Amino acid sequence: MTAVLELRGLTKRFGSLVAVDAVDLAIEGGARHALIGPNGAGKTTLFDIVGGRQRPTSGTILLEGRDVTGLREEQRARLGVAKTFQHSNLFDGLTAHDNVAMAVQRQQGVAASPWRSAARQRAVNRRAEELLARLGLGDRLGATAGVLSHGERRQLEVAVALATEPRLLLLDEPVAGMSPAESAEFVAMVRALPPELTVLIIEHDMDVVFHLATRISVLHAGRLLEEGPPAAVRASAAVQEAYLGATEDEALFIARPARPSARADGA
């Protein structure tokens, strides 16, 4: 299968600090690929480079074989890269429906004008309603984003991202601050996304990672330490050693034997 995203020798330096160090990585189409590592491993920097918020010092980024290393964030978005953020990026005064409808309008090139045709506006509304239903917010169409629960806001952010019809979806710590029940719902939601959509996720919740990911890459001190299916990553002595300085919960989760319920598809 062709790689949707390929990184070749990707490096980012901040003065004498090497935050990302010659990373080579290929992510196949349809993967649910997690990027994990102890604090300070370089995950967020790598994620920002992939999304276009930062430029690499050296190396190459290929999107479906096209070199996008020099493209800006908005240019990559037009090529099919969408993302959610650690901190909410919604219009709190607008309804859930209107947040998604605005993204649909941008994608379809429908101007927000009173002179647009009623038929085109109905098509926008149908698409927004379809996305909200898919993401479990079908009964929250008229609720303003500002009154949604934390978990619902995360769902809405994904609906907005999907409205752009991406090929690659970047999820930056999507379950941070969620309750266990909300996290479980989010995992189920991501699993139900279209199989052709490729998802790259940074997440500190190891339970979520090992339930969701089909493949995992582990960064340590800016370098790619391990990459493979969840069971192999979990069994790696190098990964367990890297997590010795991590939080107790992360270290214990990596070290303990995998439970059948915690194994992702393909693990």
Side-chain angles (χ1 to χ4, degrees):
M1 186 177 293
T2 304
V4 168
L5 177 69
E6 187 175 357
L7 311 180
R8 297 179 180 174
L10 204 67
T11 299
K12 180 65 176 179
R13 294 186 177 90
F14 298 96
S16 61
L17 172 66
V18 183
V20 177
D21 191 359
V23 169
D24 293 320
L25 181 64
I27 299 178
E28 295 183 348
R32 304 295 186 255
H33 198 115
L35 184 64
I36 68 172
N39 288 334
K43 304 183 299 296
T44 298
T45 300
L46 181 61
F47 216 62
D48 285 347
I49 293 171
V50 170
R53 297 184 76 180
Q54 295 190 42
R55 294 288 182 91
T57 304
S58 60
T60 304
I61 305 168
L62 300 176
L63 183 66
E64 295 184 321
R66 174 175 177 171
D67 188 344
V68 298
T69 312
L71 297 187
R72 298 186 303 274
E73 191 173 10
E74 63 273 15
Q75 292 174 309
R76 294 185 199 187
R78 286 195 289 271
L79 292 175
V81 179
K83 59 187 172 183
T84 67
F85 299 88
Q86 289 185 38
H87 304 290
S88 181
N89 195 33
L90 300 170
F91 294 102
D92 284 350
L94 298 182
T95 64
H97 175 275
D98 288 347
N99 268 275
V100 179
M102 287 178 62
V104 174
Q105 287 172 346
R106 288 195 300 270
Q107 174 64 23
Q108 297 185 358
V110 179
S113 164
W115 307 112
R116 63 180 176 269
S117 73
R120 295 191 75 179
Q121 185 56 46
R122 285 195 296 271
V124 167
N125 290 339
R126 283 196 301 270
R127 178 61 174 157
E129 291 165 7
E130 171 194 321
L131 287 168
L132 287 165
R134 176 185 293 176
L135 274 297
L137 294 173
D139 60 347
R140 302 291 273 161
L141 297 176
T144 58
V147 304
L148 297 178
S149 70
H150 180 66
E152 289 173 333
R153 289 173 66 84
R154 291 296 197 187
Q155 291 170 266
L156 179 56
E157 288 166 358
V158 176
V160 170
L162 292 182
T164 66
E165 300 181 7
R167 297 181 178 89
L168 174 64
L169 176 62
L170 308 177
L171 300 177
D172 190 358
E173 297 190 31
V175 305
M178 286 190 189
S179 68
E182 288 175 326
S183 294
E185 289 177 3
F186 192 89
V187 168
M189 181 193 72
V190 174
R191 280 179 164 173
L193 292 176
E196 65 274 12
L197 176 65
T198 305
V199 179
L200 176 60
I201 178 172
I202 289 180
E203 184 51 61
H204 285 291
D205 187 325
M206 293 295 102
D207 201 29
V208 168
V209 167
F210 282 90
H211 272 83
L212 179 60
T214 55
R215 292 190 75 81
I216 298 174
S217 296
V218 185
L219 282 183
H220 181 56
R223 298 186 67 85
L224 187 62
L225 179 67
E226 191 80 41
E227 195 275 325
V233 168
R234 189 171 210 156
S236 166
V239 172
Q240 293 179 25
E241 183 178 354
Y243 268 92
L244 287 176
T247 67
E248 183 178 0
D249 286 346
E250 287 178 330
L252 288 174
F253 196 93
I254 290 289
R256 74 179 184 235
R259 301 187 307 266
S261 62
R263 297 184 63 181
D265 296 340

